[in-house]
């Protein structure tokens, strides 16, 4: 169980131990006076410049947060509502007010570079390798061979990230424009490592957190699935020669289902040789699966926090172990590398929303369970061989 992080320099109402400096004591007294009409204080705690009060709310959590925010703001503090044990807690954290968004120059440069890298990847899919079979500076028109792949993949990624972006803006959270991440092929097969947005402020409650998290994967699938069906219609079934040494892209349950819809049963010794649009659709499904893993601050991790709250860390650790087991079971280094990157770059932590007391709505809970089922449908046991 996650421990609410204000357990040092504790003091009960019946006695004070390690009292804060005089300046902080004045601020604490002023903040507490703004709490007492909506909260029955039973315990006070201080950790550095952070103050916390444990007890019982006298109003609904959402109402309490709406009242406390304008009261705390003049002192430079932000209220967080949570629970530890049998007590509700109000935590006053000194957070600077989020200013306006930064200039979008970096976003545009990274997007332009990603366009070039995905065009190069797309031309590679069509059999042309920049700087090997052609010089892109002398023959830039050859890069246009990569348009079907690049356009489809960027459309899926952009729809995914702007799903997050517009939902976050709707809920009043400060968020950056998407940062597209270029990656040079053939070192990175698809020409990109995806795209990310930065959350500049805490989300309001679990419902807002869930909406922001789930909007990206579902929006991306709205583009990825039709693109995949269209690309499969342009693909062909052919015989796999015994000496064939090309790349094989693994099938998830959903991918197998969509392939069956277009081609029916594939005879033994045959396989689908996919059109670049279909390959981009496959990448879209794979990226969605990666994002839906309930770990850390991935989309699936945010969904897991909204669903299960304090169990988030345990779920993240269990997912990490499951990824390692998946790699060992199917002899796939893909999953072991992905699990290692998650551990090194992200970890298992997730920051709480401002209101961690208001429960997730029933409709969102059902949709969250569906997303976990969707993850199973999207996972290819061996992504690339």
């Amino acid at each position: 169980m996650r421990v609410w992080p204000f357990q040092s320099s504790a003091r009960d109402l019946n006695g004070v131990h390690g009292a804060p400096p005089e300046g902080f004591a004045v601020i604490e007294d002023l903040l507490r006076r703004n709490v007492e009409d909506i909260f029955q204080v039973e315990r006070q705690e201080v950790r550095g410049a952070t103050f916390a009060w444990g007890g019982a709310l006298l109003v609904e959590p959402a109402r309490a947060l709406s009242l406390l925010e304008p009261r705390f703001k003049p002192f430079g503090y932000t209220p967080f509502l949570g629970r530890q044990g049998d007590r509700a807690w109000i935590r006053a954290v000194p957070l600077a007010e989020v200013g306006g968004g930064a200039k979008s120059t970096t976003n545009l440069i990274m997007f332009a570079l990603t366009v070039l890298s995905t065009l190069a990847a797309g031309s590679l899919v069509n059999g042309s390798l920049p700087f090997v079979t052609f010089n892109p500076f002398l023959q830039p028109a050859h890069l246009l061979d990569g348009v079907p792949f690049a356009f489809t993949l960027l459309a899926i990624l952009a729809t995914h990230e702007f799903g997050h972006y517009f939902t976050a803006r709707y809920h009043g959270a400060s968020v950056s424009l998407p940062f597209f991440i270029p990656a040079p092929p053939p070192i990175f097969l698809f020409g990109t490592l995806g795209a990310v947005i930065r959350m500049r402020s805490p989300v309001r409650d679990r419902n807002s957190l869930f909406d922001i998290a789930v909007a990206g994967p579902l929006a991306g699938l709205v583009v990825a699935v039709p693109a995949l069906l269209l690309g499969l219609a342009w693909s062909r079934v052919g015989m796999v020669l015994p000496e064939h040494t090309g790349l094989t892209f693994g099938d998830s349950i959903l991918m197998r289902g969509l392939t069956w819809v277009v081609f029916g049963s594939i005879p033994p010794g045959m396989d689908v040789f996919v059109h670049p649009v279909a390959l981009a659709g496959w990448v879209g499904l794979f990226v969605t699966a990666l994002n839906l893993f309930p770990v850390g601050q991935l989309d699936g991790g945010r969904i897991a926090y909204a669903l299960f709250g304090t169990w988030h860390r345990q779920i993240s650790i269990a997912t990490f172990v499951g990824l390692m087991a998946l790699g060992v079971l199917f002899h796939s280094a893909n999953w072991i590398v992905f699990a290692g990157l998650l551990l090194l770059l992200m970890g298992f932590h997730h920051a709480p929303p401002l209101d961690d007391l208001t429960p997730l709505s029933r409709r969102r809970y059902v949709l969250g369970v569906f997303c976990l089922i969707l993850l199973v449908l999207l996972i290819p046991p061996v992504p690339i061989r």
Side-chain angles (χ1 to χ4, degrees):
M1 180 175 291
R2 176 174 57 84
V3 178
W4 200 258
F6 30 80
Q7 293 185 334
S8 64
S9 301
R11 58 179 182 158
D12 289 313
L13 293 182
N14 297 326
V16 178
H17 305 282
E22 182 178 350
F24 282 130
V26 172
I27 295 176
E28 180 190 16
D29 182 63
L30 292 172
L31 290 174
R32 174 172 169 161
R33 292 184 184 183
N34 283 287
V35 166
E36 290 177 332
D37 63 325
I38 61 175
F39 193 74
Q40 180 182 336
V41 178
E42 300 171 356
R43 182 176 173 83
Q44 298 175 202
E45 295 187 355
V46 180
R47 184 174 185 176
T50 298
F51 310 114
W53 303 272
L57 278 170
L58 305 177
V59 298
E60 291 296 318
R63 173 64 175 162
L65 182 62
S66 297
L67 291 171
L68 290 173
E69 282 182 309
R71 296 180 184 182
F72 282 21
K73 185 177 179 180
F75 301 100
Y77 279 79
T78 298
F80 283 78
L81 278 60
R83 182 171 298 280
Q84 181 181 331
D86 58 351
R87 285 192 179 104
W89 285 85
I90 296 175
R91 181 170 54 134
V93 180
L95 292 181
E97 184 176 359
V98 178
K103 293 182 178 180
S104 57
T105 304
T106 302
N107 305 76
L108 292 174
I109 292 173
M110 293 182 69
F111 177 72
L113 292 174
T114 306
V115 169
L116 292 175
S117 61
T118 51
L119 282 172
S123 64
L124 176 61
V125 171
N126 274 328
S128 299
L129 180 60
F131 298 108
V132 175
T133 60
F134 73 96
N135 188 327
F137 295 111
L138 299 178
Q139 301 168 292
H142 278 287
L143 284 174
L144 296 180
D145 293 340
V147 167
F149 174 83
F151 176 82
T152 306
L153 180 56
L154 290 177
I156 295 169
L157 295 178
T159 304
H160 180 123
E161 294 305 324
F162 276 106
H164 291 312
Y165 177 82
F166 287 116
T167 308
R169 293 291 298 270
Y170 173 80
H171 283 291
S174 178
V175 65
S176 73
L177 287 168
F179 291 90
F180 287 81
I181 306 174
I187 300 174
F188 297 94
L189 186 60
F190 306 121
T192 179
L193 296 178
V196 297
I197 61 172
R198 289 179 53 202
M199 296 291 296
R200 298 195 181 103
S201 65
V203 295
R204 190 163 190 83
D205 53 30
R206 291 191 189 183
N207 289 309
S208 301
L209 176 65
F210 178 87
D211 290 350
I212 294 169
V214 80
L218 295 185
L221 286 177
V222 169
V223 178
V225 171
L228 184 55
L229 287 171
L230 180 62
L232 286 173
W234 291 339
S235 302
R236 62 183 179 85
V237 175
M239 183 176 294
V240 180
L241 300 177
E243 66 273 13
H244 177 70
T245 58
L247 290 175
T248 300
F249 300 95
D251 287 342
S252 62
I253 296 174
L254 180 60
M255 182 70 189
R256 283 185 178 274
L258 295 177
T259 303
W260 182 85
V261 168
V262 176
F263 294 106
S265 298
I266 306 296
M270 309 285 280
D271 202 353
V272 178
F273 292 83
V274 295
H275 187 275
V277 170
L279 178 59
W282 181 93
V283 176
L285 295 188
F286 184 55
V287 168
T288 302
L290 295 182
N291 274 284
L292 282 176
F293 278 108
V295 179
Q297 298 189 49
L298 291 177
D299 296 340
R302 298 180 187 276
I303 292 171
Y305 190 99
L307 286 171
F308 307 114
T310 56
W311 288 95
H312 171 270
R313 180 175 175 81
Q314 288 88 336
I315 293 170
S316 294
I317 295 173
T319 302
F320 169 79
V321 174
L323 283 168
M324 298 292 288
L326 191 64
V328 172
L329 180 63
F330 291 99
H331 306 286
S332 173
N334 305 138
W335 295 123
I336 296 175
V337 171
F338 181 60
L341 289 174
L342 288 178
L343 179 63
L344 292 174
L345 301 178
M346 183 171 297
F348 307 132
H349 173 71
H350 193 289
L354 296 176
D355 172 10
D356 206 13
L357 294 176
T358 300
L360 195 67
S361 70
R362 183 177 297 274
R363 176 178 58 86
R364 291 179 175 90
Y365 192 90
V366 172
L367 182 57
V369 173
F370 167 76
C371 287
L372 296 179
I373 297 173
L374 183 62
L375 170 62
V376 176
L377 298 179
L378 291 174
I379 297 175
V382 181
I384 301 174
R385 179 183 288 126

